[in-house]
Short mmCIF file of all heavy atoms in Angstrom, two decimals:
data_model
loop_
_atom_site.label_atom_id
_atom_site.label_comp_id
_atom_site.label_asym_id
_atom_site.label_seq_id
_atom_site.Cartn_x
_atom_site.Cartn_y
_atom_site.Cartn_z
N ARG X 1 67.06 -91.66 25.58
CA ARG X 1 67.96 -91.13 26.61
C ARG X 1 69.42 -91.43 26.25
O ARG X 1 70.30 -90.57 26.38
CB ARG X 1 67.59 -91.76 27.95
CG ARG X 1 68.36 -91.22 29.10
CD ARG X 1 67.78 -91.75 30.37
NE ARG X 1 68.78 -91.64 31.41
CZ ARG X 1 68.54 -91.81 32.67
NH1 ARG X 1 67.33 -92.12 33.07
NH2 ARG X 1 69.48 -91.68 33.56
N LEU X 2 69.71 -92.66 25.80
CA LEU X 2 71.07 -93.03 25.39
C LEU X 2 71.52 -92.20 24.20
O LEU X 2 72.65 -91.69 24.18
CB LEU X 2 71.12 -94.53 25.04
CG LEU X 2 72.47 -95.05 24.56
CD1 LEU X 2 73.55 -94.89 25.62
CD2 LEU X 2 72.35 -96.51 24.14
N THR X 3 70.64 -92.00 23.23
CA THR X 3 70.97 -91.18 22.06
C THR X 3 71.26 -89.74 22.46
O THR X 3 72.24 -89.14 22.00
CB THR X 3 69.83 -91.23 21.03
OG1 THR X 3 69.59 -92.59 20.67
CG2 THR X 3 70.16 -90.42 19.79
N GLY X 4 70.44 -89.19 23.34
CA GLY X 4 70.66 -87.83 23.81
C GLY X 4 71.98 -87.69 24.56
O GLY X 4 72.73 -86.72 24.35
N LEU X 5 72.28 -88.66 25.42
CA LEU X 5 73.55 -88.65 26.14
C LEU X 5 74.72 -88.71 25.18
O LEU X 5 75.70 -87.99 25.34
CB LEU X 5 73.62 -89.82 27.13
CG LEU X 5 74.96 -89.97 27.86
CD1 LEU X 5 75.21 -88.79 28.78
CD2 LEU X 5 74.99 -91.28 28.63
N PHE X 6 74.61 -89.57 24.16
CA PHE X 6 75.71 -89.69 23.19
C PHE X 6 75.96 -88.36 22.50
O PHE X 6 77.11 -87.92 22.40
CB PHE X 6 75.41 -90.78 22.15
CG PHE X 6 76.44 -90.81 21.06
CD1 PHE X 6 77.71 -91.33 21.32
CD2 PHE X 6 76.16 -90.31 19.82
CE1 PHE X 6 78.68 -91.33 20.33
CE2 PHE X 6 77.13 -90.31 18.82
CZ PHE X 6 78.39 -90.83 19.08
N PHE X 7 74.90 -87.70 22.02
CA PHE X 7 75.10 -86.44 21.31
C PHE X 7 75.62 -85.34 22.24
O PHE X 7 76.42 -84.49 21.82
CB PHE X 7 73.83 -86.01 20.57
CG PHE X 7 73.62 -86.79 19.31
CD1 PHE X 7 72.56 -87.66 19.18
CD2 PHE X 7 74.52 -86.68 18.25
CE1 PHE X 7 72.38 -88.40 18.03
CE2 PHE X 7 74.35 -87.42 17.09
CZ PHE X 7 73.28 -88.28 16.98
N LYS X 8 75.20 -85.35 23.49
CA LYS X 8 75.74 -84.38 24.46
C LYS X 8 77.24 -84.62 24.66
O LYS X 8 78.04 -83.68 24.60
CB LYS X 8 75.00 -84.51 25.80
CG LYS X 8 75.54 -83.61 26.88
CD LYS X 8 74.88 -83.91 28.21
CE LYS X 8 75.96 -83.92 29.25
NZ LYS X 8 75.74 -84.72 30.39
N GLU X 9 77.63 -85.88 24.91
CA GLU X 9 79.04 -86.21 25.10
C GLU X 9 79.85 -85.95 23.83
O GLU X 9 81.01 -85.52 23.91
CB GLU X 9 79.20 -87.66 25.55
CG GLU X 9 78.67 -87.92 26.94
CD GLU X 9 79.42 -87.15 28.02
OE1 GLU X 9 80.64 -86.93 27.89
OE2 GLU X 9 78.77 -86.76 29.01
N LEU X 10 79.25 -86.20 22.69
CA LEU X 10 79.93 -85.92 21.41
C LEU X 10 80.24 -84.43 21.28
O LEU X 10 81.37 -84.05 20.96
CB LEU X 10 79.05 -86.38 20.24
CG LEU X 10 79.59 -86.14 18.84
CD1 LEU X 10 80.83 -86.99 18.59
CD2 LEU X 10 78.52 -86.47 17.80
N ALA X 11 79.27 -83.58 21.58
CA ALA X 11 79.48 -82.13 21.49
C ALA X 11 80.55 -81.66 22.48
O ALA X 11 81.44 -80.87 22.11
CB ALA X 11 78.17 -81.39 21.74
N LEU X 12 80.50 -82.15 23.72
CA LEU X 12 81.51 -81.76 24.71
C LEU X 12 82.91 -82.23 24.29
O LEU X 12 83.90 -81.50 24.47
CB LEU X 12 81.15 -82.33 26.08
CG LEU X 12 79.89 -81.74 26.74
CD1 LEU X 12 79.53 -82.53 28.00
CD2 LEU X 12 80.08 -80.27 27.05
N SER X 13 83.00 -83.43 23.74
CA SER X 13 84.30 -83.97 23.33
C SER X 13 84.86 -83.23 22.12
O SER X 13 86.06 -82.97 22.06
CB SER X 13 84.18 -85.46 23.01
OG SER X 13 83.84 -86.17 24.17
N VAL X 14 84.00 -82.90 21.17
CA VAL X 14 84.45 -82.14 20.00
C VAL X 14 85.00 -80.79 20.45
O VAL X 14 86.06 -80.34 19.99
CB VAL X 14 83.31 -81.96 18.97
CG1 VAL X 14 83.65 -80.91 17.94
CG2 VAL X 14 82.99 -83.29 18.29
N LYS X 15 84.31 -80.15 21.39
CA LYS X 15 84.79 -78.87 21.93
C LYS X 15 86.15 -79.03 22.59
O LYS X 15 87.07 -78.24 22.34
CB LYS X 15 83.77 -78.33 22.93
CG LYS X 15 84.20 -77.06 23.62
CD LYS X 15 83.20 -76.67 24.68
CE LYS X 15 83.82 -75.65 25.59
NZ LYS X 15 83.20 -75.60 26.90
N ASP X 16 86.31 -80.06 23.41
CA ASP X 16 87.57 -80.30 24.12
C ASP X 16 88.71 -80.57 23.14
O ASP X 16 89.81 -80.02 23.28
CB ASP X 16 87.42 -81.46 25.09
CG ASP X 16 88.62 -81.62 25.99
OD1 ASP X 16 89.10 -80.60 26.53
OD2 ASP X 16 89.08 -82.76 26.17
N VAL X 17 88.46 -81.39 22.13
CA VAL X 17 89.51 -81.69 21.14
C VAL X 17 89.84 -80.44 20.33
O VAL X 17 91.02 -80.16 20.07
CB VAL X 17 89.08 -82.86 20.22
CG1 VAL X 17 90.03 -83.03 19.05
CG2 VAL X 17 89.00 -84.16 21.03
N ALA X 18 88.84 -79.67 19.94
CA ALA X 18 89.08 -78.45 19.18
C ALA X 18 89.92 -77.45 19.98
O ALA X 18 90.85 -76.84 19.44
CB ALA X 18 87.76 -77.81 18.77
N ILE X 19 89.62 -77.30 21.26
CA ILE X 19 90.41 -76.39 22.11
C ILE X 19 91.85 -76.87 22.18
O ILE X 19 92.79 -76.07 22.11
CB ILE X 19 89.78 -76.27 23.51
CG1 ILE X 19 88.48 -75.49 23.44
CG2 ILE X 19 90.74 -75.63 24.50
CD1 ILE X 19 87.65 -75.51 24.72
N THR X 20 92.05 -78.17 22.29
CA THR X 20 93.40 -78.72 22.37
C THR X 20 94.16 -78.50 21.06
O THR X 20 95.34 -78.14 21.07
CB THR X 20 93.34 -80.23 22.70
OG1 THR X 20 92.68 -80.39 23.96
CG2 THR X 20 94.73 -80.83 22.78
N VAL X 21 93.48 -78.67 19.94
CA VAL X 21 94.13 -78.47 18.63
C VAL X 21 94.47 -77.00 18.42
O VAL X 21 95.54 -76.66 17.91
CB VAL X 21 93.23 -78.99 17.49
CG1 VAL X 21 93.72 -78.55 16.13
CG2 VAL X 21 93.12 -80.51 17.56
N LEU X 22 93.56 -76.12 18.79
CA LEU X 22 93.77 -74.69 18.58
C LEU X 22 94.74 -74.07 19.59
O LEU X 22 95.26 -72.98 19.36
CB LEU X 22 92.43 -73.95 18.63
CG LEU X 22 91.46 -74.30 17.50
CD1 LEU X 22 90.10 -73.66 17.76
CD2 LEU X 22 92.02 -73.91 16.16
N ASN X 23 94.99 -74.76 20.69
CA ASN X 23 95.90 -74.26 21.71
C ASN X 23 96.92 -75.36 22.03
O ASN X 23 96.81 -76.06 23.03
CB ASN X 23 95.11 -73.88 22.97
CG ASN X 23 95.98 -73.27 24.04
OD1 ASN X 23 97.17 -73.02 23.82
ND2 ASN X 23 95.40 -73.06 25.20
N PRO X 24 97.94 -75.51 21.16
CA PRO X 24 98.89 -76.61 21.34
C PRO X 24 99.68 -76.55 22.65
O PRO X 24 100.22 -77.57 23.08
CB PRO X 24 99.85 -76.46 20.15
CG PRO X 24 99.28 -75.44 19.25
CD PRO X 24 98.21 -74.71 20.00
#
């Protein structure tokens, strides 16, 4: 469960950071 939560949060965070980088 902890591993699954980590990978879910990792994917959401990567998306958020990518959107921020692509839209300064």
Side-chain angles (χ1 to χ4, degrees):
R1 185 172 159 168
L2 178 62
T3 302
L5 175 66
F6 173 74
F7 283 113
K8 177 187 136 207
E9 292 297 326
L10 179 66
L12 292 172
S13 295
V14 166
K15 176 185 165 203
D16 188 46
V17 170
I19 289 170
T20 300
V21 168
L22 295 172
N23 184 6

